[in-house]
Structure formats: structure tokens, C-alpha cells
Amino acid sequence: MAIGILNSLLANPETILSSDHSSVVSMNLFVALLCGCIVVGHLLEESRWMNESITALAIGLCTGVIILLTTGGKSSHLLVFSEDLFFNYLLPPIIFNAGFQVKKKQFFRNFMTIILFGAVGTLISFAIISVGAIHFFKKMNIGQLKIGDYLAIGAIFSATDSVCTLQVLNQDDTPLLYSLVFGEGVVNDATAVVLFKAIQGFDLPNVNSTIALQFVGNFLYLFISSTLLGVLAGLLSAYIIKKLYFGRHSTDREVALMILMAYLSYMLAEFFYLSAILTVFFCGIVMSHYTWHNVTESSRVTTKHAFATLSFVAEIFIFLYVGMDALDIEKWRVVSDSPGISVGVSAILLGLILVGRAAFVFPLSSISNLTKKAPRDKIDFKQQVTIWWAGLMRGAVSMALAYNQFTSYGHTQLRGNAMMITSTITVVLFSTVVFGLMTKPLIRILFPSPKHLNRMLSTEPSTPKSLSVPLLGNVHDLESYESERNLTRPTSLRMFLSTPSHTVHYYWRKFDNAFMRPMFGGRGFVPFVPGSPIEQNDQQWH
């Protein structure tokens, strides 16, 4: 059989060449569009309404219309949507860079609140959307959907996309708000994907208390195991680079090893059926705290900008493709006989998203505030509104999960499945464009600051502040950190009862300085190699 296929291919070399050439043409056009998105996004950077995500989406839509017209209504995209492309190649650099660049002090100071929003909040949103979908869609003639499909809808639309809001917020102006929106977005995506996989893996028509407990146990196992795998991968990279000190011979090897170890952590999680999003995120945090300080100065600058660039291009790629795929004629043709029902389904889903988001943001914010003593650590009403708004937008994660559930290799002829795909596209477009366009004005109204008008990413090759403070640190600068080490402390029990988070931070720093840094490296706690950048850095600090 294989020989027959080979003979047929050899007999028609023109077909192979034609196919290869068409792929090259598609890739050329797509890369040109990516360049166009970057240029247009730069020109519109100071726009009151637009941001790079919406720009890429709009260019994708316009391109889709042009392709649709030139192909006589047969196709609207240059590339076929692939879940493997999204989850294995585009998502890893985005999530890793998020962990690598995050301000760890703020992130871990608000860790419990982030978990409350990202995990518990996502479960609440999932429940409301699933119950609402069952209640409304069963009364509408949208095709055959099983209980697993309704629960999958809840998981699909509980996955948020806070990119638009994060592009407007500033870590320095609103550190608490940024860390909450950012942290919740990562944990939310991981929770939604874990939920989705768990739904697909259980016999839902025969659910009982035992299966429900297994579901909860499996969820916790995935959450904890994925986090631990990311931490272990980050520590392994730090240990290898610290012991071998690659920079003595080649900085290229250092940079290559950091990039490959980061990607390996993601693929290992996929191999073990864990949550790769959580794994690569925590791998990024650990690598920024240990590994990054074990490499040469040139490697630090290179890795910082390499990870940021890969993440930036992947984000633009995703929004550009979503814009083109939104006009896929095959799926719209299946539901073209009932446009009213399609609009109704999309409107119901948007309503459920609004309600599901509000149902946990405001109550959980109040619960979180009860555990905070300092007013600056509490989430005020304006910040609650921003957190609620940031989670209203849906993006590529929702699209990828919907394609996984309702299509076979991107295609479907079933009415119910086509209805859900087109509704997902509509919700993603509407929420990203409409809510996204209103994000900048909303942030400026709630948090008026001239800095928002001049916000630009720093291009200086200096060490990010987030990467030069102690992990879990609760200090304002290095001087206060050094002086704090010499203060007389009350007993451990009194410290924990009065300031539990500060106590955890204090003892973590002691453990980190005594055990972790001597073994895995990090600024100031590495056995020096003569002439190494770590020794030079230490001399500068002293």
C-alpha cells in the first residue's frame, strides 16, 4: 500500500510542487500580515480605543473578507486552525514569558486571592454557564447536544482572555490590580483546560458521588502535580547551568538551554497528561529567580528580550488567525437557515458570561478583603469593576477548546456543533472588539493618571525590577531587606497569628538563603567562579 502511494506521488510531481508552492505563498502572506499588524499597532499605540489585539483581529477580519471574495466564497483563511499549533507552539511562549516577567513580590503576596479568583471563581462561572446553557438551549432548536457538551460549554466560556486589559494596566501604577488580573488570567486558563479535560475523561451520564469525588481528586492532583513539575524543571535548569557554567565557553549554549528547558517543561506536562499551562508558568517564575542569575550578563539581556519577543509574536499570530477564521464559510453555511437562533445563542452566552463573572468577583473580593488588614491590600470597588471587566473577554483558549469539542480536524456538518462553533466565534469577536474598545476609556475613567498616556515597554537592557527582588519578598528595596534580616523577631506563633503572610515570607527568605540559593544559584548566593559575571555583580553591590 505504501509503495502504491509512493508511486502515485512520483507519477504526479506537479501536484506535490503545486501544493508546496501554495503553502509557501500562504506563509509569505501570513508573515507579511504579522509585520503589518506590528507596524499598524505601533502607529495606533496612543489611540484612545485601539490596542494591538484588536488591531490584529481587525486586520484578520479584513484579510478574511478579501480571501473570501477572491476564492469565490470557498475559503477565508490562509492556514487551517490546528489545536496542536495553538497548544504546542503558540501558547507556551506566552505563558512562560508571563511567569518569567511577573513581579513575584506582588504575585505571591496576593497568591491566595489569585487562587480564589482563578480556581474557585472559574468553578462558579463554569457552574452558572453550564446550568444556564442546559436551561436555555434545550428549549431552542439548535441540534443534538449531550450533557457532556453542555458541561464543555461551561468550561469553554469560563476561560477568560485578559490581554486587552493587561495591555492598558501598568504594573507600577496599579501593582495590586495588575497582579490580580494577570495572576487570575493564568490560573483561570489552567483551571478551564483542566476542567475541560476532566469532563472529556469521565462517564458523565452515570455520575454518582464516587465519580464526583474522583473528579475533585483528579482536579487537585492535576493542579498540584503541574505546579510541582514546573518548579522541578526550573530548578533543574538552574542547577545544570550553575554547575557547568556554560557562559565560560559560550553564551549561546546558555540561551539555548534556557529556551529548550522552558519548552521541555511544557511538553513534559503534556506527556504526563498534566496542566501544561500551570507547569510552564511556574517554571518561568523559578527560572527568573534562580536560572536567570546564573548566566552571563549578555545572556540575561538576550533571554529577557527573546522570551518577550516570542510571546508578543505568538499573541499577534493568534488574534490575526482568529480574525480570519471567524469568516469560515463552511460553518456559517450549516447554520445559515436559522440566523435568529444563532444570534440568540450568542446573546445568551454573553449574558451568562456577564452574570457568571459578577457572581464570583464581587462576593470573593469581599471575602478576600476580610482577611486583609492594610487598606492598600484591600480590593476597592473600582478595582473590583476592573477585575470583572477584564474577565469578560474571550479569546483563543475558548476557540481552541470549542474546536476540540465540536469539530473533527476543524470541520463539522452537524448542526448543533456548527451552531456552537459559530456562537463561540461571535462571542470571541464581540467581547474582544466591543469590550476591548471600551477598556482604555474605562481604565482612564476609573484610574485617571497621565502615565497611561505615555505608557511604553522599556527597551533598556537592565535587570527587570521584578527579577532583582527576593522571591516572595515583602520589602520595598534591598536596603530594607538587609536591615530587616537584623531585626529582633517575636516568637513564630505570635508572628503567624498577627501577620501570617509576612511570617511565611520571612521564613521562606531564610530557607531560600540557607538552602536553595547555595544549591541552585541566584543573585548573591552562588559559589563564585573567578571572573564570572556573578562575582562582578556581587562586587558592584558591595
Side-chain angles (χ1 to χ4, degrees), residues 133-318:
I134 293 171
H135 176 75
F136 290 109
F137 294 166
K138 282 191 173 181
K139 299 177 181 179
M140 304 169 70
N141 182 27
I142 64 171
Q144 293 294 321
L145 294 178
K146 302 176 182 177
I147 183 66
D149 294 327
Y150 290 115
L151 294 179
I153 290 170
I156 289 166
F157 290 101
S158 62
T160 66
D161 188 341
S162 52
V163 170
C164 287
T165 307
L166 290 174
Q167 286 179 350
V168 180
L169 289 176
N170 191 310
Q171 287 199 70
D172 297 318
D173 292 347
T174 54
L176 171 64
L177 184 59
Y178 189 96
S179 69
L180 290 176
V181 172
F182 165 81
E184 188 229 340
V186 174
V187 178
N188 165 274
D189 284 347
T191 305
V193 173
V194 170
L195 267 175
F196 183 81
K197 290 182 177 179
I199 289 166
Q200 290 188 322
F202 278 88
D203 184 17
L204 295 170
N206 302 309
V207 173
N208 53 41
S209 57
T210 304
I211 292 178
L213 287 174
Q214 287 178 349
F215 183 88
V216 174
N218 186 49
F219 177 81
L220 293 175
Y221 162 75
L222 288 173
F223 206 92
I224 296 170
S225 301
S226 302
T227 301
L228 290 176
L229 179 59
V231 172
L232 289 174
L235 292 177
L236 179 62
S237 70
Y239 185 81
I240 292 173
I241 288 179
K242 173 178 174 289
K243 286 297 181 183
L244 300 181
Y245 189 54
F246 284 76
R248 187 189 300 115
H249 304 291
S250 170
T251 57
D252 297 341
R253 291 172 186 162
E254 287 183 326
V255 175
L257 191 62
M258 283 188 71
I259 294 173
L260 291 173
M261 287 291 289
Y263 187 65
L264 179 63
S265 71
Y266 187 92
M267 297 313 297
L268 277 175
E270 288 289 327
F271 179 77
F272 291 116
Y273 301 102
L274 300 176
S275 173
I277 294 175
L278 273 181
T279 296
V280 77
F281 176 71
F282 280 97
C283 179
I285 290 178
V286 173
M287 287 181 73
S288 74
H289 185 60
Y290 296 110
T291 314
W292 192 78
H293 292 284
N294 296 343
V295 300
T296 61
E297 190 65 30
S298 58
S299 295
R300 296 181 192 182
V301 176
T302 303
T303 51
K304 174 194 168 188
H305 291 292
F307 289 136
T309 302
L310 289 171
S311 172
F312 174 74
V313 172
E315 283 184 10
I316 298 297
F317 188 106
I318 288 170

Side-chain angles (χ1 to χ4, degrees), residues 517-531:
R517 289 187 175 186
M519 179 176 291
F520 298 106
R523 181 187 48 78
F525 288 89
V526 184
F528 297 140
V529 176

